[in-house]
Amino acid sequence: MLPEIVLLGLNHKTAPVELRECLAFSPDQASTALDNGVRSPHISEILLISTCNRMEILMTAPDCPPAIDTAKQMISDIKQIPVSEFSNALYVHTGNDAVRHVFRVASSLDSMVVGEPQILGQLKDAYLIAVQNKTSGVILNRLLHKTFFVAKRVRSETGIGDHAVSISYAAIELGRKIFGELEAKKVLLIGAGEMAELAVEHLIRNRSGAIFVANRTFERGVELAGRFKGQAIRFEEIPEYLKTVDIVISSTGAPGYILTPQPVKAVMRVRKNRPLFFIDIAVPRDIDPDINRMGNAYVYDIDDLKNVIDENIEDRHREAVKGERIVDEAVIQFRKWYESLDAVPTIVALRAKLEQIAESENQKTFHALKHLSEEDRSAIQRMSQSMINKILHDPMVYLRRNGCYGDKSLHIDWTRKLFNLDNDNQE
Amino acid sequence: MENAIIGITFLYLLSSAGYIAYLFLQKDVLHRLSGYVLALAFLGHTATIGYNFLMAGHMPVSDLHETLSVAAWAIVGVYILFQHQFNLKVLGAFAAPLAGMAMIASDLLPRIPLLAQNSLRSIWLVFHVLAVFSGEAAFALACGIGVLYLIQEKTIKTKKRRFFYRRLPSLEFLDSSGYVCVVAGFTLLTIGLATGFVYAKMIWGKFLSWDPKEIWSGVTWLLYAALIHERLVVGWRGRKSAILAIIGFCVIIFTFLGVNLLMKGHHEVFTRW
């Protein structure tokens, strides 16, 4: 009997954030959980993934139900929370479904924001903890390596990670379509706000030029400017600075427009018509949309940026379909390898290999010794057959012996590698 | 020779189809293959023109058939240089079909038996023709880039970012590479006009004979001079600059074809058909 691959867990679709918070494992807690897990007779290999959107336990076990119960109990013990509180949010996958689920999670097909890149790194960290605690064995090792490979393939062969899906990043992407390079582009931040500040940080990361901060209260402006290593200016100075800056990010609480077409028109000549990009994150809007009608001035407000993101998300979902196909392929391949871990096919393959060798060597010998009679030949063939039987006797007994299941798949894997039964030239 | 020209035309069209397919499918391999086909066609075209040059003893521009062929050749040559420098991948879908169409028009026009004209055997004429044609090819590219700029500007302004938004580079890139084309074209046109004057002085004994072609060439030159001047002084960039590059190329087409077909003058001989 092969050990089962079992996965149980909860994610943003099945559990509210309050519950996910309670079940988040720190790396130390994860280590403890893994140690407890492998000590149980019901679990052979174990790995624990904990991120802000999901908590999952991946195991191999001789028998499913007791393994699942053990895992639940373990979560309950470590997180000090009764099983009944989270057991409704749990999903359980076994066999192919569990494999597919791991592939989908790693490829970010199961993420809240499809295509977000962090999950692969988080999974790698989780695997590292399992390796350090020696709780992953031949099956999980193979499964995780395959998982990393699949995730990379999905990322490189589909557009799942292309195009921005956050407001601030979408603004940066638009900036690139206007200016090409954002390097050395000067930025004016009007007002303050989380999204606006995030956009400025993105810009700094793209090596933008000088940062100017204008705020109704000058002190607040000075403080913000300090954070961005920029320069605080007074609100009245904005028209003056429009002459030099390239990107204006506005996010004030003002009830009406703080920038009208008039001052922009006035500076355009001085700017020699160099493009000016306005990002208006404020509600109600800060920047008169009529400015967008002027040559070389571009205005995007929060709704425009949201539309950009919606389109990009739609694109990602379209690309995700391709990702699912890659995952399906990989599940089938993994299944093949997994099934080969059973003792019977391995013994059959081993015998076939030996018989093939014996047969071809016999033929060579017969070809050289033409004087052998038919009787002599069949005697030699009988001898080689009984040699094969004798040689195979001990390995067969060893592989069929009922021992620890995890160890058994390990030995079968070794056998397959030792005799190169899978014709894996690369490995 | 006929077969060679038809083969070259076919290769130009094949390359055009490749570039247009690239525009839609965005497979790099299409772009690369189209580039190879175009380069091959260009080499063949160069050889053909060189052969005609040697046979006739002067630049093969004695009728519209030949002139259009040289125009197509210049467009492709300038495009290959430009592509090498700027790698603006979608421009192939403009340049290759333009050259292909010029070649088809050239193929369809009858050839006119050559009049023995010693006046054509001058090194100045070679420079004049090469400079004017490559300058006008650069203006053709500037026009194509101007169209791309207007499309991209519209997609960004109207916030409907579907087909072209992803396929076209940034506005800044289109603006500056278009400007490079205008400056290159203007320089070449200036050289072309200057060598033309020298040639005219040698043949007709005067620099300027107020022939319509000369006048319209002057108009073209002034138009592009204005574009460059306004850009340097007032900063006419982006939309205005793009529109002017498109208008400029329309004037060139008129100077090239319209003047010869509608008005009389000594350049008429080059576009007989």
Side-chain angles (χ1 to χ4, degrees):
Chain A
M1 261 279 288
L2 276 172
E4 283 274 7
I5 299 174
V6 189
L7 180 136
L8 83 162
L10 44 83
N11 64 16
H12 54 97
K13 288 174 202 153
T14 65
V17 63
E18 298 80 25
L19 183 56
R20 299 204 303 272
E21 275 167 1
C22 296
L23 292 176
F25 281 71
S26 69
D28 284 341
Q29 284 173 325
S31 281
T32 323
L34 296 182
D35 270 343
N36 294 351
V38 278
R39 255 188 247 128
S40 150
H42 302 300
I43 296 174
S44 321
E45 304 174 37
I46 182 166
L47 176 119
L48 190 146
I49 308 152
S50 174
T51 72
C52 45
N53 278 334
R54 66 181 67 245
M55 193 285 297
E56 295 187 343
I57 291 180
L58 177 64
M59 313 176 276
T60 62
D63 199 11
C64 282
I68 293 166
D69 289 338
T70 314
K72 281 184 190 170
Q73 196 52 50
M74 194 178 74
I75 298 170
S76 159
D77 291 346
I78 293 179
K79 300 308 298 184
Q80 303 288 318
I81 171 171
V83 173
S84 59
E85 294 234 335
F86 62 87
S87 111
N88 278 340
L90 283 181
Y91 43 81
V92 176
H93 298 299
T94 57
N96 276 359
D97 291 341
V99 173
R100 177 174 290 109
H101 184 82
V102 178
F103 288 171
R104 293 187 72 241
V105 167
S107 313
S108 198
L109 293 168
D110 196 48
S111 300
M112 195 187 237
V113 179
V114 171
E116 58 91 10
Q118 278 98 5
I119 182 68
L120 184 57
Q122 289 162 337
L123 198 57
K124 280 183 176 165
D125 292 342
Y127 177 55
L128 186 68
I129 296 176
V131 170
Q132 282 164 350
N133 287 282
K134 299 195 176 67
T135 64
S136 71
V138 64
I139 293 176
L140 286 196
N141 284 341
R142 178 86 172 208
L143 177 56
L144 267 292
H145 285 133
K146 188 81 189 168
T147 303
F148 301 147
F149 176 76
V150 171
K152 272 184 208 137
R153 234 192 105 189
V154 170
R155 188 148 290 272
S156 62
E157 289 180 23
T158 74
I160 192 171
D162 292 355
H163 308 302
V165 290
S166 73
I167 295 276
S168 49
Y169 201 71
I172 303 298
E173 231 179 42
L174 269 166
R176 271 212 200 90
K177 276 290 179 194
I178 294 171
F179 298 109
E181 290 286 315
L182 293 174
E183 209 173 321
K185 294 284 172 270
K186 292 182 184 140
V187 182
L188 169 61
L189 172 63
I190 306 176
E194 193 190 343
M195 262 188 285
E197 287 164 34
L198 214 56
V200 174
E201 276 162 23
H202 277 310
L203 282 169
I204 293 172
R205 225 168 294 142
N206 280 288
R207 287 179 293 171
S208 61
I211 311 261
F212 302 99
V213 181
N215 207 298
R216 285 268 183 224
T217 44
F218 190 65
E219 287 70 30
R220 174 92 176 99
V222 171
E223 186 192 311
L224 261 179
R227 237 181 66 207
F228 298 131
K229 296 195 177 65
Q231 185 194 332
I233 63 168
R234 294 199 175 275
F235 227 67
E236 305 74 54
E237 290 178 293
I238 290 174
E240 182 62 28
Y241 277 84
L242 285 180
K243 288 175 188 164
T244 51
V245 298
D246 303 291
I247 300 169
V248 178
I249 302 172
S250 188
S251 168
T252 72
Y257 299 140
I258 57 165
L259 258 181
T260 53
Q262 217 42 52
V264 179
K265 200 169 252 166
V267 296
M268 267 305 175
R269 214 183 151 82
V270 185
R271 294 179 58 82
K272 290 204 171 174
N273 284 307
R274 275 180 297 110
L276 194 46
F277 180 29
F278 296 92
I279 304 163
D280 186 357
I281 305 184
V283 180
R285 288 178 292 178
D286 282 345
I287 291 159
D288 190 336
D290 279 350
I291 293 176
N292 193 44
R293 294 223 196 101
M294 295 169 45
N296 300 310
Y298 307 89
V299 181
Y300 270 71
D301 63 37
I302 185 106
D303 278 5
D304 299 331
L305 293 172
K306 271 191 189 134
N307 287 340
V308 170
I309 291 173
D310 287 346
E311 281 172 27
N312 288 347
I313 289 177
E314 241 170 71
D315 278 356
R316 282 190 175 195
H317 284 296
R318 253 195 303 278
E319 291 298 310
V321 177
K322 289 187 211 162
E324 299 283 359
R325 181 177 46 71
I326 293 173
V327 165
D328 284 344
E329 253 175 63
V331 170
I332 293 167
Q333 282 170 7
F334 185 80
R335 191 76 207 167
K336 242 188 211 158
W337 172 83
Y338 175 74
E339 275 164 1
S340 75
L341 287 184
D342 205 359
V344 177
T346 303
I347 291 165
V348 170
L350 189 53
R351 177 178 290 276
K353 176 152 188 170
L354 293 187
E355 279 174 353
Q356 192 206 331
I357 293 169
E359 184 55 24
S360 84
E361 293 306 308
N362 280 346
Q363 288 309 324
K364 268 193 224 159
T365 311
F366 297 157
H367 198 69
L369 304 176
K370 292 233 159 52
H371 61 273
L372 291 180
S373 71
E374 197 56 42
E375 242 171 63
D376 297 338
R377 290 183 184 201
S378 63
I380 290 174
Q381 268 167 340
R382 273 201 306 280
M383 182 197 73
S384 54
Q385 189 60 47
S386 76
M387 278 172 72
I388 291 171
N389 290 342
K390 293 252 157 81
I391 292 169
L392 276 180
H393 178 75
D394 285 336
M396 271 166 68
V397 171
Y398 179 78
L399 290 177
R400 279 191 174 138
R401 192 172 48 202
N402 284 329
C404 172
Y405 288 99
D407 274 354
K408 186 168 159 183
S409 43
L410 180 66
H411 296 153
I412 287 173
D413 191 44
W414 278 352
T415 310
R416 298 192 76 89
K417 279 184 184 146
L418 192 57
F419 290 97
N420 190 22
L421 298 181
D422 296 313
N423 278 321
D424 266 353
N425 294 329
Q426 337 44 329
E427 282 191 68
Chain B
M1 201 34 69
E2 284 293 313
N3 285 342
I5 288 293
I6 288 171
I8 289 162
T9 309
F10 173 73
L11 287 181
Y12 280 154
L13 293 177
L14 186 67
S15 157
S16 309
Y19 279 124
I20 291 168
Y22 169 75
L23 182 62
F24 284 90
L25 303 174
Q26 296 283 292
K27 297 272 182 245
D28 274 337
V29 62
L30 281 172
H31 185 263
R32 222 172 27 246
L33 286 178
S34 309
Y36 291 143
V37 171
L38 192 67
L40 183 70
F42 180 71
L43 287 179
H45 204 169
T46 311
T48 320
I49 289 174
Y51 175 81
N52 285 340
F53 192 153
L54 288 179
M55 286 296 112
H58 58 79
M59 278 303 278
V61 285
S62 58
D63 59 17
L64 191 55
H65 167 85
E66 288 182 342
T67 315
L68 276 171
S69 168
V70 172
W73 174 79
I75 289 170
V76 174
V78 172
Y79 168 73
I80 289 175
L81 273 179
F82 176 86
Q83 180 58 25
H84 183 70
Q85 195 65 34
F86 289 99
N87 197 25
L88 175 54
K89 285 187 170 157
V90 288
L91 194 60
F94 171 81
L98 190 62
M101 282 187 311
M103 285 305 280
I104 290 176
S106 158
D107 293 348
L108 291 177
L109 288 167
R111 323 196 63 169
I112 292 167
L114 198 60
L115 307 165
Q117 270 190 315
N118 273 330
S119 65
L120 292 172
R121 292 171 188 270
S122 163
I123 188 75
W124 293 104
L125 184 67
V126 175
F127 282 131
H128 172 63
V129 169
L130 278 181
V132 167
F133 276 73
S134 39
E136 292 183 348
F139 287 140
L141 290 190
C143 164
I145 296 169
V147 172
L148 294 181
Y149 181 94
L150 292 181
I151 293 173
Q152 182 72 315
E153 197 213 24
K154 194 170 167 62
T155 55
I156 292 180
K157 282 265 183 194
T158 56
K159 299 157 190 184
K160 297 211 167 47
R161 317 152 321 114
R162 272 294 130 196
F163 186 77
F164 279 106
Y165 178 76
R166 290 189 179 155
R167 289 170 167 78
L168 294 182
S170 68
L171 291 176
E172 182 64 37
F173 179 87
L174 289 170
D175 187 53
S176 56
S177 60
Y179 181 61
V180 167
C181 284
V182 167
V183 170
F186 184 74
T187 313
L188 287 164
L189 186 63
T190 309
I191 295 173
L193 293 184
T195 47
F197 289 143
V198 174
Y199 174 69
K201 176 78 179 163
M202 284 160 62
I203 301 292
W204 295 294
K206 51 187 174 186
F207 286 111
L208 204 58
S209 44
W210 301 105
D211 149 272
K213 186 92 163 189
E214 289 172 4
I215 296 170
W216 278 96
S217 297
V219 170
T220 314
W221 188 87
L222 282 174
L223 191 76
Y224 282 104
L227 196 167
I228 293 173
H229 175 266
E230 288 300 300
R231 188 184 178 100
L232 290 177
V233 177
V234 193
W236 267 27
R237 19 162 88 241
R239 190 180 174 75
K240 277 186 191 162
S241 179
I243 292 175
L244 213 57
I246 296 167
I247 294 175
F249 187 59
C250 293
V251 172
I252 285 177
I253 291 182
F254 177 72
T255 313
F256 182 62
L257 296 175
V259 170
N260 295 79
L261 303 180
L262 304 175
M263 305 172 197
K264 297 276 169 202
H266 64 230
H267 274 90
E268 185 200 3
V269 63
F270 303 117
T271 43
R272 290 176 307 160
W273 58 293

